[in-house]
Amino acid sequence: MPNLFCKIHRLKSQGWTWDQFMSELDRIYFGGIDEKTLKSHYRQPHKRSTSHTQQLIESLHKRYFPSPFPADTEALMRIYNNLVDCPKHATTEADVADLRLFLQAQVNEQGMPLLRAARLNWLLANTYFDDIGALRTARKRVQLQEYQKHAIQHYQQAITLIETHNQEAAESSVSEFVLYKVHQNILACYLNAIEPEHRESDEQVLNYLTHSDFLSQSKKVLVQEPYLWVVARNGLRFGSLLKSATLCEQFFRLLVAASPYFLDLDYAPQGYPAICNSKEFNWACQHVLSAGFIDTLRG
């Protein structure tokens, strides 16, 4: 999900005044957030929040931007996430295997509503994807490749189903950001199969970035929601891995459009290192993000 900065921007983009925003928050919890705090989160991607603020914004965001998928599939996704996140659950592996049997039977059914089928394929893909890192660590290469293949197939099927729904029901179309998340999961299937120190030079990773529509999907998202700085930052990261000056320039401009704080390469937003301190941005910093180029963006 988007971070707090982006959720506040998304809510505000509905045309609310700040008074309307405060009124909506008061409906959830009277006097829950003061206006100064709300505005500072709106301006600053680096600002830390209290759990109270996080919960209020999350509740309001869910009210106005609910999941596009059927409630029962969302409930099943929550059950699965709780299962794999519980370290004390003794039969997780067997339970996930049983869930896969159920999901496989479900996705093979004909005539299912498109978004229901999409979310079930997405969940089935997650059950394979979530094991990729452990299989890499255990050096179980054959099983890793099998799980990677299944995960990618079901994520791609989810994309196809969502896109078909959007063509057939434009009035209830699923957002580009949701599609972006599925594309990002496919990319992660390649990234997580490789040791971190080798990811930037791995042929499968670079081939996917070059020939897939991940980066074009990133641009579509930013047309709709230009404040999604994480999407722009990822675009810059992968443009740097591809050693593309054009992509680096495009996504850095989009990053600065999301927040001018990113004009400072030493700037560290909440939960992320500064661009100048992350080796994945080295090529961009050395070949594109010169002081002169950044000065032109400062205006």
Side-chain angles (χ1 to χ4, degrees), residues 288-296 298:
V288 179
L289 306 182
S290 64
F293 173 67
I294 292 175
D295 283 343
T296 64
R298 292 185 194 277

Side-chain angles (χ1 to χ4, degrees), residues 34-91:
D34 67 85
E35 189 169 339
K36 182 179 178 181
T37 298
L38 181 62
K39 288 181 177 179
S40 64
H41 279 298
Y42 179 82
R43 293 190 302 267
Q44 302 171 3
H46 58 272
K47 184 173 176 61
R48 293 181 180 275
S49 65
T50 64
S51 58
H52 177 68
T53 297
Q54 189 77 39
Q55 288 169 6
L56 284 179
I57 296 299
E58 180 67 26
S59 296
L60 191 58
H61 186 269
K62 284 182 178 179
R63 176 179 294 179
Y64 283 94
F65 296 94
S67 169
F69 301 107
D72 62 333
T73 64
E74 291 302 272
L76 194 58
M77 182 71 81
R78 286 193 296 273
I79 291 170
Y80 169 75
N81 290 336
N82 290 337
L83 172 65
V84 297
D85 288 341
C86 180
K88 295 182 179 180
H89 193 84
T91 59

Side-chain angles (χ1 to χ4, degrees), residues 105-162:
Q106 287 287 296
V107 300
N108 287 338
E109 286 189 2
Q110 300 297 315
M112 189 183 302
L114 292 170
L115 292 187
R116 177 179 174 81
R119 196 56 163 163
L120 292 176
N121 270 281
W122 191 330
L123 176 53
L124 181 54
N126 284 0
T127 70
Y128 290 107
F129 168 77
D130 288 335
D131 282 340
I132 289 176
L135 292 171
R136 184 197 72 229
T137 301
R139 301 186 184 280
K140 295 182 178 180
R141 194 67 191 170
V142 173
Q143 190 177 3
L144 184 155
Q145 291 175 342
E146 177 188 354
Y147 276 38
Q148 182 191 59
K149 176 183 175 182
H150 287 315
I152 291 171
Q153 284 178 339
H154 288 292
Y155 284 136
Q156 189 57 59
Q157 181 64 9
I159 290 171
T160 300
L161 290 163
I162 293 170

Side-chain angles (χ1 to χ4, degrees), residues 26-38:
D26 284 345
R27 290 172 60 191
I28 298 174
Y29 186 89
F30 184 74
I33 303 178
D34 67 85
E35 189 169 339
K36 182 179 178 181
T37 298
L38 181 62

